[in-house]
Amino acid sequence: MSAQDNITVVRGFIDTVLNGGDLAGLERYWTEDMVWRGGSLGEYHGLADFRKFAEANAAGAFTGMHLEPQRFLTDGDTVVALFTNSGVNTGPFLGMPATDKPAKWSGVGIYRIHDGKIAEATFVEAILAMLLQLGITSLPSAF
């Protein structure tokens, strides 16, 4: 597949599943033996395991969740997506009660494409920035 084809797969997943809420799209965009590494949100092996995680998040911690790709970079079968994520915290998150506050944070997703589907993905997100905006944590004052 071309670099543009690989970007189209990743963009399709973002638009259809993440932003569109169409969990039926998981099978269309991910391999059966996929691996998802989400940092503080855990690691999932296999589409069935990942589907359970995705279903739990569909009614999860944030309302109006939206992932906005800022830039895509490619290298062979790998697509790197630089993005911002945003939503309003209306449900429990990482064991903390809802704050009803909005947050917007940046992140990077690294996707490996195999035969037209995502086989593996690793995410790094600025969770501290999100937690600060939600008032869940604070940093010590420098003054």
Side-chain angles (χ1 to χ4, degrees):
M1 292 181 63
S2 72
Q4 189 57 51
D5 290 337
N6 289 342
I7 290 171
T8 298
V9 170
V10 172
R11 186 179 289 283
F13 165 66
I14 292 168
D15 292 345
T16 303
V17 179
L18 294 181
N19 293 336
D22 180 8
L23 296 182
L26 288 173
E27 285 79 10
R28 193 167 45 242
Y29 294 105
W30 289 86
T31 64
E32 194 65 36
D33 60 346
M34 56 78 67
V35 176
W36 189 91
R37 294 179 189 90
S40 60
L41 298 179
E43 186 169 314
Y44 300 90
H45 294 260
L47 194 53
D49 199 25
F50 182 63
R51 174 176 281 291
K52 290 177 192 170
F53 167 74
E55 288 170 349
N57 280 322
F62 289 87
T63 301
M65 187 73 118
H66 185 78
L67 190 145
E68 183 66 38
Q70 303 299 314
R71 185 171 183 187
F72 292 103
L73 307 167
T74 63
D75 182 22
D77 64 355
T78 301
V79 175
V80 177
L82 308 173
F83 61 86
T84 55
N85 212 344
S86 61
V88 178
N89 178 222
T90 55
F93 181 67
L94 298 176
M96 302 298 296
T99 64
D100 294 319
K101 293 180 182 179
K104 184 174 185 176
W105 62 98
S106 60
V108 176
I110 304 169
Y111 300 83
R112 185 175 59 81
I113 310 300
H114 179 73
D115 289 338
K117 292 187 175 187
I118 303 166
E120 181 179 5
T122 302
F123 301 90
V124 178
E125 296 187 56
I127 299 297
L128 178 57
M130 179 225 309
L131 295 175
L132 290 167
Q133 292 171 63
L134 298 178
I136 292 174
T137 192
S138 62
L139 295 175
S141 174
F143 303 101

